[in-house]
Every structure is written in structure tokens, then in C-alpha cells.
Amino acid sequence: MKPKVIIYKKMDKKVLSFIENTCDVVYFQKLDSGNYPKFIQELKATDAIMGSGLKVNKDLLDQALCLKMVCNTSVGYDNLDLKELEKRGIIATNTPEVLNDTVADTVFSLMLSTARRIPELDQFVKKGEWKSNLSEEKFGVDVHHKTLGIIGMGGIGNALAKRAHLGFDMQILYHNRSRKEEAEQKYNAIYCSLEELLKKSDFVCVMTPLTPSTEKMIGKREFELMKDTAIFINGSRGKTVDEEALIYALKTNEILAAGLDVFIEEPIRMDNPLLSMENVVTLPHIGSATYETRLKMAMLGATNLVTGLQGKTPPNLIKSGVSIN
């Protein structure tokens, strides 16, 4: 008898076919209020679930009487209650590494777009406001040869450092739980305290995962430490930043500008002050959103799923103290 799995996010046919070779699949392209009751009903006799963004907590797990495995098709797993999963002997996986370059591209595009005011000047042209030579008040700032401070030097942070140092001759500062010798050797990255990084960086980029210790790690004090010419970039999770403090820092010119791919509330509310600021570039959480990369992430998630259900160690087991066998 094949194990039963629920896929709760739109998946490429290639991925579904791969899973269906060894599993009975219940497929939801999207979870909403209309089909959520059916999802919960199917969950009661399900061996594994695969998707991203779903809050897997005690309330959900109380409905999952047979669950053995949770497979995130994302690098982040702040949606998972790991302690609750461990208590129930349920393993969890994610899909790191395959999205590093794509997310780094997105984050670097935010740096360039914000520094050179690309979205703002695009609208300036399209609205017919370009009548003569551009005045200095519309000038941007250079990116090359500036100092980039990376908070969280994981795989994506490393890919960002590569682009910045080798492509734009930027000085790299980084703050991380541990030193990264490879980044130091390849990109002349300098390990420093968070306070030193904030004081010295022209661009401050948050790339840390969301954990209890990183939630709102950038707040009022941190923005006060930054240069008034600094550009703040967030490509991690919205909750790593105190959004009210960010808004205040932008309004009072404590920092120059911000480029954001993530927000505390997603989708962002239309009355959020960030949306009315010309010095803020906003994206709809598109870090890994290319067809090629999302397919790789889904296929890696499927590989984790099938491997784990066969009683083997998945390639990307989230270490939570749960044994495979």
C-alpha cells in the first residue's frame, strides 16, 4: 500500500508525476477557506504533507493522526513548530541551496534599484515629467566601491557577497553566529559585531532566518546606529525588522532609503506608510520566484518526501532530534 501524501501548493506536473510513482497524492493547488475543511479531513489519514507557508502547529497536528513527515518547499521553516513536531516524532525537511543565486540576484537588484532610484525614475519618465536634463534632486548614489554589511552569512549571504565584491568592488562586512572563512578568503569579508557593521556600512542587508532571537533584531537603536546615507535592504523575513521603527527612520532621515522584499504582514496592507514613500522600493516577496528555481525547489522537496517515506534520511532533514527510523 502506497503512503498517502497531501500536496498543498501548485506543483509542476513533473514533480507530481515523480511523487505519484511511489505515493497516493491528494493535490490542492491552493489552500483557502473553501477547501480547507476537505484538507483537514484528508489530513487525518495522511503520512506526509508538502508545500510552503502553512502554519504547522499544535492545532493542525492534532488533526494529523498518522503524519510522519512535513516537507517545506522553501529554505525558511519559521512556519513549523519544531518542538511540537519533535514531540510527536514527525520529521521535517526544507529546500536550501538551490535558491541561493536566484535570491541573491533579487537582493542585489533591490540594492541597485534603491540606490539608483530605478522605480521612481521609471515612473518619472512614463508620466511625461522628463522635460529637460535631470536635476540633482533626482540623482541616486553609487553602489560600486561602497561597503556592504550582510547580517546572516548563510548560502544566500555568501552569494550576495560574491556579487558585491567581485562584480562591484564592494567592501564586505558581515555579522553571523560563526565566522565564515571561505567568505573571508574569497571576498575579503570582515567579521564584525552587529554594532560595528551598522555604523560602517553604506548598505545594510538582512539575510538571517527568522528565529526567536532574530525577531525584530533591527529596531530603533539599530537604525540610529546606521549612517544617514545608509540604504537598508531586507531579503529575509519581515518580522526580523521592527517595521514601525523602519518607517520612523525613513521619515526622519535617519537612513536614506530602503529596499524590501518582505514585510510583517503579507500581502502588505495598502495603508502601510511604506507604500507612499518614494525612497522605498517594494517587492511582493519574489526572492526565489523564477520558474527554473521554483521547479528545482519543488523537485528537491519531492526528493526529500519520497526518500523520507522510504525510511531513509532525506537530503535536507531539518535537525530537530527526530530519528528517521
Side-chain angles (χ1 to χ4, degrees), residues 112-118 120-121 124 130 132-143 146 229 231 256-257 278-279:
L112 290 168
S113 296
T114 309
R116 298 306 304 270
R117 303 168 67 170
I118 302 298
E120 178 189 351
L121 295 176
F124 179 76
W130 185 25
S132 59
N133 291 338
L134 205 63
S135 62
E136 288 187 8
E137 66 180 15
K138 292 289 186 184
F139 285 7
V141 297
D142 285 333
V143 176
K146 294 293 182 68
T229 56
I231 291 177
L256 180 65
E278 287 189 337
N279 60 338

Side-chain angles (χ1 to χ4, degrees), residues 236-249:
S236 58
R237 288 289 188 267
K239 290 183 179 180
T240 58
V241 179
D242 182 335
E243 207 163 87
E244 289 186 6
L246 170 60
I247 292 167
Y248 180 81

Side-chain angles (χ1 to χ4, degrees), residues 115-319:
R116 298 306 304 270
R117 303 168 67 170
I118 302 298
E120 178 189 351
L121 295 176
D122 170 69
Q123 289 302 305
F124 179 76
V125 175
K126 289 176 177 175
K127 290 178 181 178
E129 298 175 4
W130 185 25
K131 305 293 186 182
S132 59
N133 291 338
L134 205 63
S135 62
E136 288 187 8
E137 66 180 15
K138 292 289 186 184
F139 285 7
V141 297
D142 285 333
V143 176
H144 61 85
H145 294 93
K146 294 293 182 68
T147 299
L148 169 62
I150 302 173
I151 303 170
M153 187 63 90
I156 300 169
N158 190 75
L160 183 61
K162 177 181 179 180
R163 285 155 176 73
H165 181 68
L166 300 182
F168 285 76
D169 293 309
M170 298 182 80
Q171 171 66 64
I172 307 298
L173 305 179
Y174 77 98
H175 179 71
N176 200 61
R177 287 179 298 178
S178 58
R179 294 186 67 159
K180 299 292 183 178
E181 292 184 6
E182 181 181 0
E184 293 178 10
Q185 292 170 3
K186 287 185 175 180
Y187 316 125
N188 293 332
I190 299 173
Y191 178 79
C192 60
S193 68
L194 179 60
E195 183 171 322
E196 183 180 0
L197 181 149
L198 295 172
K199 287 180 178 180
K200 293 183 176 180
S201 298
D202 299 300
F203 295 83
V204 174
C205 182
V206 179
M207 294 309 308
T208 182
L210 178 62
T211 66
S213 63
T214 63
E215 186 168 352
K216 290 190 176 181
M217 69 179 299
I218 305 298
K220 184 176 184 295
R221 177 179 177 274
E222 287 70 32
F223 287 117
E224 288 174 347
L225 288 171
M226 295 181 199
K227 299 178 181 180
D228 58 12
T229 56
I231 291 177
F232 177 72
I233 305 291
N234 191 2
S236 58
R237 288 289 188 267
K239 290 183 179 180
T240 58
V241 179
D242 182 335
E243 207 163 87
E244 289 186 6
L246 170 60
I247 292 167
Y248 180 81
L250 289 162
K251 284 183 175 179
T252 58
N253 300 314
E254 283 181 352
I255 61 173
L256 180 65
L260 309 170
D261 187 37
V262 291
F263 307 87
I264 287 181
E265 185 177 354
E266 296 180 2
I268 190 171
R269 289 171 56 94
M270 292 308 297
D271 60 356
N272 191 311
L274 292 168
L275 298 183
S276 62
M277 298 180 178
E278 287 189 337
N279 60 338
V280 178
V281 176
T282 56
L283 294 177
H285 203 151
I286 63 162
S288 63
T290 67
Y291 174 77
E292 299 95 328
T293 293
R294 288 290 172 88
L295 178 58
K296 290 177 184 176
M297 292 168 68
M299 190 56 78
L300 181 54
T303 301
N304 285 326
L305 178 77
V306 170
T307 305
L309 289 176
Q310 290 174 341
K312 304 172 185 176
T313 302
N316 303 106
L317 180 68
I318 298 170
K319 295 180 180 178

